[in-house]
């Protein structure tokens, strides 16, 4: 199809309020040049002609964007041991033992996504239990939230550490002062870096992972690099693919440390650019490290913890704002959201960010009504993860209590307040599939469809609202609303053809939606075999 205009006929959901639905569009030179009825588009003169793809009654959407994930960690998980299936601590230990037996002595056992909140006994595995396996391997296990790591003694040795020499708030000790093996937040950084010296094939693995994202309808990602959390990004691998013209997905990269060659948001180009500075204000709900203004219902001795003081965060936020950098700020508990709001208020004396950018706050899993109003007044962008609901239904009430459940995952209230919400997966915490996110936003149930009618059903989104999170809103969040996130003349030709009419799909089946074709910049990045197009 090189040099030829491409026409697509189908049931278009455009994301353009001026024309929400259409029957056809034409792509040329990487952009959409016309959208309208099939007759309007077909009859317009096109030098060189048009080669048509007929999708029938299937839905055509703008390409989906995951507005917050950790792509580097997702790449690494391709070779890691998945522990999500472990049904108990004993089951996890058996899986680690088997993996160690498969590997040579000294090779790292990297286990990911264990979820102790689903076990009969929710206690974390310990250093002693891992050491008792007798493996000649360093072991690093990562909880599903990515904020809790558990290590064995061999892993500490590889990092030049000892259990006795560790100190700090993120080093968990038992009642007798012994290190349990658990490292919270960034305290696992030295062990993670030690394991990182054992990696190879980064460029090939990155491309394979991005092609897998394209197969799920994704044409853009806002990825976050946080090396101290084991969530580092290999900028060299991205640049190598970019130089070869082989990026199948547009990448906007945020980082919690400086990145070589980039100083302010938007530097780069439409395929690879700098997003801005990432901050972690607190931890996770599952690990009880998210900072709350109240004691945890199921652990009254803790309220979680803020990772930095107001003074430290404000100083860094002002420096980044002055440099023209959009902030992307992790805040799960309401105390962390308070800290974000205080900082945003304090930035009011500075000129606005360029290109209409606004600072972003990520997660907001516990957000009070007064905070929703403050965030709307401040014009913050809110990056939410609908796919957290199926996973967190089982623990939310236990963590925050029934009386506060109305503060949890309150996306409909946020939309009604006028907040700009984007949709994401936080992969590898949850699967990157955006249609699972759409399904979760519309239904608010677990994977077995419980509870009937949805969890906190007043917070359900409509299908159009859910689709907008991953398309229109994601583009607006980074100042690209005129060039991305919708099917309109002048927009980039980023789109996906689905295997069905999504508007006629029963809500409970939305997570089963599959792309037949994905296009980014006018190039087909995925096409299903035997898809009928």
């Amino acid at each position: 199809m090189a040099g030829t205009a491409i026409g697509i006929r189908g049931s278009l959901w455009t994301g353009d309020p001026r024309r929400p639905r259409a029957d056809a569009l034409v792509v040329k030179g990487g952009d959409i040049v016309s959208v309208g009825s099939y007759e309007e588009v077909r009859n317009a003169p096109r030098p060189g002609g048009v080669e048509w793809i007929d999708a029938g009654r299937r839905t055509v959407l703008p390409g989906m964007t995951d507005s917050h994930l950790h792509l580097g960690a997702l790449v690494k998980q391709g070779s890691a041991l998945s522990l999500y299936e472990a049904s108990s601590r004993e089951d996890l230990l058996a899986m680690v033992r088997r993996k160690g037996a498969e590997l040579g002595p000294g090779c790292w056992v990297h286990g990911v996504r264990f979820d102790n909140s689903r076990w009969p006994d929710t206690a974390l595995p310990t250093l002693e239990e891992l050491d008792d396996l007798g493996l000649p391997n360093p072991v690093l296990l990562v909880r599903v939230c990515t904020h809790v790591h558990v290590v064995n003694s061999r892993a500490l040795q590889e990092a030049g550490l000892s259990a006795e020499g560790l100190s700090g708030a993120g080093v968990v000790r038992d009642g007798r002062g012994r290190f349990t093996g658990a490292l919270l937040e960034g305290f696992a950084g030295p062990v993670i870096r030690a394991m990182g010296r054992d990696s190879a094939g980064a460029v090939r693995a990155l491309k394979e992972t991005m092609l897998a994202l394209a197969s799920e309808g994704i044409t853009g990602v806002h990825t976050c690099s946080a090396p101290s959390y084991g969530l580092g990004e290999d900028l060299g691998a991205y640049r190598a693919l970019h130089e070869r013209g082989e990026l199948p997905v547009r990448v906007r990269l945020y980082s919690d440390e400086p990145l070589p060659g980039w100083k302010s948001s938007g530097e780069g180009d439409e395929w690879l650019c700098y997003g801005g500075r990432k901050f972690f204000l607190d931890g996770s709900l599952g690990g009880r490290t998210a900072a709350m203004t109240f004691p945890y219902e199921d652990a009254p001795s803790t309220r979680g913890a803020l990772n930095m003081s107001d003074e430290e965060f404000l100083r860094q936020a002002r420096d980044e704002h002055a440099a023209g950098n959009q902030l992307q700020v992790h805040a799960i508990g309401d105390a962390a959201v308070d800290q974000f709001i205080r900082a945003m208020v304090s930035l009011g004396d500075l000129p606005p960010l360029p290109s209409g950018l606004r600072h972003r706050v990520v997660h907001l899993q516990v957000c009070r009504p007064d905070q929703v109003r403050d965030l709307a007044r401040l014009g913050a962008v809110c990056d939410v993860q609908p796919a957290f609901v199926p996973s967190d239904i089982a623990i939310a009430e236990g963590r925050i209590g029934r009386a506060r459940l109305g503060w949890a995952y309150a996306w409909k209230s946020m939309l009604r307040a006028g907040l700009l919400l984007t949709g994401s997966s936080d992969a590898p915490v949850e699967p990157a599939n955006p249609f699972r996110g759409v399904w979760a936003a519309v239904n608010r149930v677990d994977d077995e469809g419980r509870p009937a009618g949805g969890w906190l059903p007043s917070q359900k989104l409509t299908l159009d609202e859910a689709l907008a999170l991953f398309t229109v809103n994601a583009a607006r969040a980074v100042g690209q609303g005129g060039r991305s996130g919708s099917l309109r003349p002048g927009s980039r030709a980023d789109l996906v053809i689905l295997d069905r009419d999504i508007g006629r799909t029963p809500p409970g089946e939305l997570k089963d939606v599959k792309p037949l074709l994905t296009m980014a910049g006018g190039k087909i990045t995925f096409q299903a075999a035997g898809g009928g197009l």
Side-chain angles (χ1 to χ4, degrees):
M1 296 184 181
T4 303
I6 303 171
I8 297 177
R9 185 181 186 185
S11 177
L12 275 62
W13 185 95
T14 68
D16 181 355
R18 297 169 299 183
R19 189 163 198 166
R21 303 288 190 272
D23 301 322
L25 58 79
V26 171
V27 170
K28 190 172 180 63
D31 289 340
I32 297 171
V33 294
S34 62
V35 178
S37 70
Y38 177 59
E39 290 73 21
E40 291 171 337
V41 172
R42 181 190 58 186
N43 294 331
R46 304 283 176 202
V50 178
E51 186 166 342
W52 283 92
I53 297 172
D54 190 351
R57 296 181 61 85
R58 301 182 184 98
T59 297
V60 182
L61 295 174
M64 309 292 271
T65 293
D66 191 312
S67 295
H68 177 75
L69 81 170
H70 305 278
L71 185 49
L74 189 62
V75 172
K76 291 177 184 176
Q77 284 207 2
S79 60
L81 170 64
S82 174
L83 297 170
Y84 190 75
E85 297 78 12
S87 59
S88 66
R89 191 167 66 259
E90 293 75 18
D91 194 15
L92 174 143
L93 293 169
M95 295 170 74
V96 171
R97 181 188 293 110
R98 288 194 295 270
K99 185 66 175 180
E102 296 171 8
L103 300 171
C107 294
W108 285 77
V109 177
H110 180 210
V112 297
R113 300 195 74 232
F114 77 85
D115 187 357
N116 55 305
S117 71
R118 299 163 57 236
W119 301 344
D121 176 358
T122 60
L124 292 168
T126 67
L127 177 140
E128 182 178 4
E129 290 171 332
L130 293 175
D131 285 352
D132 285 347
L133 297 176
L135 297 176
N137 311 87
V139 176
L140 176 65
L141 309 182
V142 189
R143 193 183 181 278
V144 66
C145 64
T146 73
H147 290 260
V148 179
H149 295 72
V150 182
V151 300
N152 69 351
S153 294
R154 182 65 183 273
L156 291 179
Q157 293 167 10
E158 292 291 324
L161 303 172
S162 68
E164 296 75 18
L166 291 170
S167 63
V171 178
V172 180
R173 296 189 178 277
D174 64 20
R176 290 188 284 174
R178 298 178 304 176
F179 174 51
T180 66
L183 296 166
L184 308 181
E185 306 304 320
F187 281 80
V191 183
I192 292 164
R193 287 189 289 273
M195 185 181 69
R197 295 191 287 267
D198 193 35
S199 61
V203 175
R204 174 185 53 79
L206 176 61
K207 184 175 180 181
E208 289 175 356
T209 303
M210 296 177 84
L211 288 171
L213 294 178
S215 75
E216 295 180 322
I218 292 174
T219 58
V221 295
H222 303 166
T223 190
C224 169
S225 182
S228 62
Y229 283 78
L231 303 171
E233 298 284 353
D234 188 339
L235 184 54
Y238 286 109
R239 285 177 168 157
L241 287 175
H242 188 30
E243 288 167 4
R244 303 201 305 240
E246 295 180 9
L247 281 175
V249 173
R250 302 183 193 275
V251 178
R252 195 171 187 95
L253 179 56
Y254 294 79
S255 178
D256 68 351
E257 59 184 33
L259 292 174
W262 284 334
K263 292 184 178 179
S264 59
S265 293
E267 289 186 0
D269 61 23
E270 63 179 25
W271 284 99
L272 178 63
C273 74
Y274 181 49
R277 179 65 185 274
K278 173 74 178 188
F279 288 96
F280 289 86
L281 297 188
D282 67 347
S284 72
L285 187 66
R288 298 188 187 88
T289 54
M292 306 295 183
T293 58
F294 53 88
Y296 277 83
E297 191 80 8
D298 54 2
S301 63
T302 184
R303 297 184 177 209
L306 293 171
N307 290 336
M308 64 182 74
S309 67
D310 275 16
E311 293 74 20
E312 182 183 2
F313 177 45
L314 176 57
R315 174 180 56 79
Q316 295 186 63
R318 289 185 73 86
D319 289 346
E320 296 296 334
H321 185 107
N325 284 327
Q326 183 183 45
L327 307 183
Q328 191 181 58
V329 181
H330 170 115
I332 285 182
D334 70 323
V337 177
D338 278 338
Q339 188 175 51
F340 174 82
I341 289 170
R342 288 193 294 271
M344 294 304 101
V345 170
S346 297
L347 296 178
D349 62 319
L350 297 179
L353 290 173
S355 304
L357 293 177
R358 295 178 279 163
H359 296 306
R360 307 171 70 164
V361 57
V362 189
H363 304 312
L364 303 109
Q365 286 166 248
V366 182
C367 187
R368 305 185 309 266
D370 63 294
Q371 293 176 319
V372 171
R373 293 189 294 270
D374 288 341
L375 291 167
R377 176 175 52 82
L378 292 165
V381 177
C382 299
D383 301 319
V384 301
Q385 296 71 44
F388 279 9
V389 162
S391 299
D392 288 359
I393 285 173
I395 68 168
E397 184 174 336
R399 294 290 191 271
I400 68 174
R402 180 179 294 273
R404 300 184 187 93
L405 273 184
W407 304 353
Y409 313 82
W411 307 316
K412 190 75 166 189
S413 296
M414 292 177 183
L415 286 178
R416 286 173 176 157
L419 281 163
L420 177 62
L421 265 60
T422 71
S424 57
S425 65
D426 202 17
V429 174
E430 296 290 344
N433 181 359
F435 298 102
R436 178 175 172 80
V438 169
W439 162 80
V442 171
N443 292 280
R444 293 179 68 96
V445 293
D446 66 14
D447 285 301
E448 287 70 45
R450 300 184 300 247
W455 181 68
L456 305 177
S458 65
Q459 297 297 332
K460 289 182 181 180
L461 302 189
T462 66
L463 177 60
D464 283 355
E465 289 169 339
L467 291 173
L469 299 185
F470 293 89
T471 55
V472 182
N473 295 0
R476 290 177 57 201
V478 294
Q480 295 290 308
R483 283 286 287 151
S484 186
S486 60
L487 305 178
R488 68 175 82 184
S491 290
R492 297 174 183 135
D494 298 351
L495 56 87
V496 56
I497 301 175
L498 305 181
D499 64 352
R500 68 195 74 190
D501 182 344
I502 196 171
R504 295 176 180 270
T505 299
E509 297 177 13
L510 288 170
K511 66 177 176 179
D512 302 323
V513 170
K514 304 291 184 187
L516 295 180
L517 181 146
T518 306
M519 179 182 289
K523 298 178 181 178
I524 294 173
T525 55
F526 167 74
Q527 188 161 9
L533 294 178

